[in-house]
Amino acid sequence: MPGCVEDFGGAVVHNQRPCFIVSILWGLFLLFFRGDGKVRNLLFPVILILFGSSIQLFGAEGMTREQKVRADQERFAKDQTWIYNDFNAALQEAKRSGKPILAVMRCLPCEECVKLDDALLDSHPKIQALRKDFVSVRIVSNNGLDLNRFRIDTDQSFSALMFNSDGKLLGRYGTRSHRTQWEDDVSVDGLAAALQGALELHRAGDQVSSSLDGKQPKPMDFQTPEQLPGLKGKYSSKLDAGPNIVKSCIHCHQVGEAIRDVAWQKGGKLSEEALFVYPHPKVVGLIIDPRTKTTVRRVIAVSAAAKMGALPGDEIIEMAGQPLISMADIQWVLQAVPAAGGEVKAKIKRRGELVDASLVLQPGWRSKDDISWRASTWELRRRVLGGMLLKNPEQGADNQKVLEVGHVGQYAPHDRARQAGIKAGDRIVSIGGRTDFTRETDVMWHLLQTFGDGKPYVVEVSRGGDILKMQLTVQ
């Protein structure tokens, strides 16, 4: 998520804030020098404020990651509207006040998360007004986090969870389907709608309590991230308050990788459910308007959603008996549907009327999702592709879409593909015996299914008119 995020028309979009401020300043300077006395008097204080902001911003750009982390800590330690990294304290305050809890999760060292966080939470009057009805807590690391309460898509850079004052989960917010593009998944208006929906569920109390049961995570064998085998002994339950504060933080994607490894070891192979986690609604044909809770913007033709009868403008208010307040809530429901398929009952609000619907998913539906954007996929590339990154296919000279090697790891343990002779820019002719791949995701899934036992597979590439064959294995 490079650059910053800003809100334009309700959608979160990206821009480089330093360049943006410089452009505004330059335009204001031109108006200042060309304008009359009244214009100059009007513009002078504005230019001073923006100039001061730009100096602070460019100073922050030159800070080390640790300095930024500590500055962030100091900033929110002074903000009385937030409880900092202490969910138990938030829970106690919620019980005292009767308010629900807004828990915002982001890994402390993640600079990009801070930018999204600031744009959504600290700069928008609509969010600020809603937050007055919540106990707000910032969760800035996974160290010591209760996984039986905080179960999220760990490849997200930003997640918000809303709880009742008794600690029961009301709903989730935060969706992602691309490494850098957010405008189709989150927005300020969407977060505001989710917060409003959570407040309504909280106020309904016992009337909706049983419908929230499906939103609660099932207990895991490992209650906190540092107890997971892949992280045990490497991290403690608390951040290091000293000079290693950044290195001591358990990143979200590391939790996801460790959970995936547990499932891999337990099953002897990586299942479709363990690889394709938190499926995006578009996989079943639902394109949700990110400015709303769960209003359908578009339905993909010949999809499960189309067969369900969903229409643009429909609001999906319930799935699997669970009230929905966001796109992330839909993902939570889909997360529980096995790869073998199944039927999910739904309730739709259409022009003020409630309509019963049924979403029927066929075997293999989960593998239609794309995992290439996920941070946790880097570790899979090391194991499955020997450290290669395969670029999205482009139209080839033979009018066939082909995969291309975009990057090859140079250092161990990510350099097995390089050692085998594969280079960036190589065009994939065949891999693992197949020539029909158009997505890196499909390559990894095929290799895991077919060569997951360690048998070697052959990679054929085109380079400078020659066809070369190399051999790799899935670790």
Side-chain angles (χ1 to χ4, degrees):
M1 191 173 59
C4 301
V5 285
E6 299 287 344
D7 177 48
F8 293 96
V12 176
V13 297
H14 297 262
N15 72 72
Q16 298 290 340
R17 189 179 294 177
C19 298
F20 182 65
I21 290 180
V22 169
S23 298
I24 292 178
L25 273 172
W26 179 245
L28 290 176
F29 273 126
L30 290 177
L31 288 174
F32 180 83
F33 288 114
R34 293 176 181 175
D36 56 21
K38 291 183 179 180
V39 171
R40 292 184 180 184
N41 288 336
L42 180 65
L43 290 179
F44 185 69
V46 178
I47 290 174
L48 278 180
I49 292 171
L50 278 177
F51 186 73
S53 298
S54 66
I55 293 295
Q56 290 181 354
L57 180 60
F58 281 108
E61 290 291 317
M63 293 168 66
T64 67
R65 173 171 282 192
E66 184 175 329
Q67 288 171 332
K68 290 181 181 181
V69 165
R70 294 195 181 282
D72 182 72
Q73 257 186 332
E74 183 179 352
R75 171 189 173 193
F76 285 100
K78 296 176 181 177
D79 190 339
Q80 299 302 310
T81 68
W82 288 97
I83 295 173
Y84 195 75
N85 209 35
D86 190 344
F87 184 78
N88 288 331
L91 193 57
Q92 291 175 11
E93 175 59 23
K95 290 177 179 178
R96 186 197 66 79
S97 65
K99 292 181 179 182
I101 300 170
L102 167 62
V104 174
M105 295 187 65
R106 61 173 178 81
C107 288
L108 189 62
C110 184
E111 299 159 25
E112 302 302 341
C113 305
V114 176
K115 295 171 184 176
L116 177 64
D117 198 18
D118 288 349
L120 284 178
L121 295 174
D122 301 328
S123 309
H124 202 281
K126 186 182 294 186
I127 302 300
Q128 291 297 313
L130 284 164
R131 274 190 51 224
K132 293 178 181 178
D133 293 319
F134 286 87
V135 174
S136 300
V137 57
R138 312 277 293 213
I139 307 296
V140 298
S141 80
N142 287 278
N143 304 62
L145 197 67
D146 185 355
L147 293 176
N148 291 330
R149 191 189 299 275
F150 287 85
R151 198 76 57 78
I152 63 168
D153 182 349
T154 56
D155 282 301
Q156 302 296 329
S157 291
F158 172 95
S159 292
L161 293 89
M162 285 70 82
F163 299 89
N164 262 335
S165 52
D166 62 1
K168 195 168 190 177
L169 187 69
L170 296 166
R172 297 166 171 80
Y173 185 83
T175 297
R176 197 174 182 183
S177 57
H178 191 278
R179 195 172 69 84
T180 60
Q181 297 172 4
W182 284 78
E183 57 268 26
D184 291 333
D185 295 321
V186 295
S187 74
V188 172
D189 287 339
L191 176 58
L195 291 175
Q196 186 61 52
L199 280 173
E200 292 168 3
L201 291 175
H202 174 71
R203 290 163 181 164
D206 292 340
Q207 299 176 35
V208 299
S209 182
S210 61
S211 69
L212 300 176
D213 291 344
K215 291 191 172 189
Q216 314 312 308
K218 294 179 180 178
M220 290 182 63
D221 294 334
F222 309 94
Q223 188 167 353
T224 61
E226 65 274 6
Q227 294 174 0
L228 288 159
L231 301 173
K232 193 172 184 178
K234 301 177 182 178
Y235 298 92
S236 69
S237 61
K238 294 183 179 180
L239 287 172
D240 187 337
N244 293 320
I245 187 170
V246 172
K247 293 180 181 179
S248 70
C249 178
I250 302 175
H251 292 238
C252 294
H253 70 87
Q254 290 178 297
V255 179
E257 291 166 10
I259 292 173
R260 184 180 63 201
D261 284 349
V262 169
W264 197 338
Q265 294 295 328
K266 185 179 294 186
K269 63 179 181 179
L270 197 58
S271 68
E272 191 171 338
E273 289 87 353
L275 182 61
F276 298 94
V277 294
Y278 296 92
H280 196 281
K282 66 183 179 183
V283 173
V284 301
L286 286 171
I287 308 300
I288 303 297
D289 186 344
R291 300 166 297 178
T292 68
K293 289 193 294 186
T294 53
T295 298
V296 178
R297 184 169 67 186
R298 183 166 61 88
V299 179
I300 298 175
V302 196
S303 66
K307 293 177 182 178
M308 179 177 72
L311 298 172
D314 286 351
E315 182 185 0
I316 305 174
I317 62 172
E318 183 180 296
M319 291 182 77
Q322 302 174 32
L324 306 176
I325 63 172
S326 71
M327 205 186 308
D329 269 359
I330 297 178
Q331 289 179 276
W332 176 256
V333 171
L334 295 178
Q335 171 72 355
V337 182
E343 182 180 14
V344 180
K345 298 292 185 181
K347 288 188 181 297
I348 293 173
K349 183 183 286 187
R350 179 179 297 159
R351 294 187 292 275
E353 301 289 333
L354 285 182
V355 177
D356 290 327
S358 182
L359 181 70
V360 179
L361 302 176
Q362 300 299 324
W365 70 276
R366 296 178 76 110
S367 62
K368 293 181 173 60
D369 206 359
D370 181 27
I371 63 170
S372 64
W373 63 269
R374 294 179 173 274
S376 59
T377 302
W378 280 100
E379 175 63 13
L380 275 178
R381 290 188 180 103
R382 178 186 72 79
R383 295 189 182 191
V384 180
L385 298 175
M388 282 191 291
L389 181 152
L390 300 179
K391 287 174 58 177
N392 289 335
E394 298 178 358
Q395 199 73 18
D398 53 0
N399 292 323
Q400 296 294 316
K401 289 186 176 181
V402 294
L403 289 165
E404 184 176 303
V405 179
H407 172 78
V408 180
Q410 297 299 302
Y411 306 101
H414 299 269
D415 63 343
R416 289 189 299 116
R418 180 186 66 80
Q419 290 185 8
I422 297 172
K423 297 182 179 181
D426 286 349
R427 294 163 66 86
I428 301 295
V429 176
S430 72
I431 187 166
R434 283 179 51 178
T435 62
D436 59 341
F437 290 118
T438 58
R439 297 194 313 168
E440 181 192 51
T441 292
D442 298 329
V443 173
M444 288 191 285
W445 179 226
H446 167 68
L447 295 176
L448 282 164
Q449 288 178 291
T450 311
F451 301 94
D453 57 0
K455 292 185 298 185
Y457 65 87
V458 175
V459 182
E460 279 189 288
V461 303
S462 170
R463 184 192 304 162
D466 296 326
I467 303 297
L468 307 174
K469 291 185 180 182
M470 278 75 81
Q471 186 171 283
L472 287 171
T473 58
V474 175
Q475 290 187 331

